Amino acid sequence: QVQLVESGGGLVQAGGSLRLSCAASGFTFNRYDMGWFRQAPGKERDFVAAINWSATSTYYTDSVKGRFTISRDNAKNTVDLQMNSLKPEDTAVYYCAALDSYRPARGRTWGQGTQVTVSS
C-alpha cells in the first residue's frame, strides 16, 4: 500500500541542524512532486518546502529560505529536508507528502510525522 515514513526528528539546540528523511513505497515515486509541511501545537499544518518530480525545481516558505534544503533521490525513493540554523519557532511535527499540486503545494498522501523540537 502507499506509505510515507518520516525519520530524523529530535531535540536540538537553537542554531543546530537536523536532517529529516522520508521513505516512500507503494507508488511510482519518480512521477510525483513531493513536499514537507509542519504543524506546531495549536496551529494549522503549513507548507515548508516542495521539490518537483525531476528535482529540477524547488521552493520554500519565506521563513526557512536560506536555512532549509529539500532534496530527493528517485533511485532510493526518498525525499530529505536538511534544516540548518534551527530556531525555536521551527518546533513542530514535520510531515512529508506526495503532492497533488506543486504550486501551491497540496498533499494527497501523508506520512505519520516526526517531531522536531528546538530549544532556546
Side-chain angles (χ1 to χ4, degrees):
Q1 73 276 21
V2 175
Q3 196 170 17
L4 296 169
V5 179
E6 301 96 335
S7 61
L11 173 64
V12 64
Q13 288 189 331
S17 298
L18 282 174
R19 188 175 184 89
L20 306 183
S21 188
C22 174
S25 60
F27 64 102
T28 307
F29 180 75
N30 61 12
R31 292 185 180 178
Y32 284 88
D33 304 326
M34 298 294 295
W36 284 94
F37 296 75
R38 65 186 179 186
Q39 186 168 20
K43 296 188 177 181
E44 294 185 350
R45 186 158 53 190
D46 290 329
F47 167 75
V48 176
I51 186 167
N52 72 340
W53 65 273
S54 62
T56 55
S57 173
T58 62
Y59 74 106
Y60 303 86
T61 191
D62 285 347
S63 62
V64 309
K65 283 180 183 177
R67 300 189 297 123
F68 290 13
T69 303
I70 189 171
S71 60
R72 68 188 294 161
D73 186 333
N74 285 345
K76 296 181 179 179
N77 286 4
T78 58
V79 55
D80 291 350
L81 186 69
Q82 177 67 43
M83 306 187 295
N84 299 328
S85 303
L86 283 161
K87 305 175 181 180
E89 52 263 42
D90 294 318
T91 294
V93 178
Y94 283 71
Y95 300 89
C96 75
L99 301 180
D100 263 339
S101 166
Y102 179 61
R103 191 191 289 262
R106 186 173 64 243
R108 64 173 284 165
T109 303
W110 299 89
Q112 83 289 348
T114 186
Q115 176 70 48
V116 171
T117 303
V118 184
S119 63
S120 57

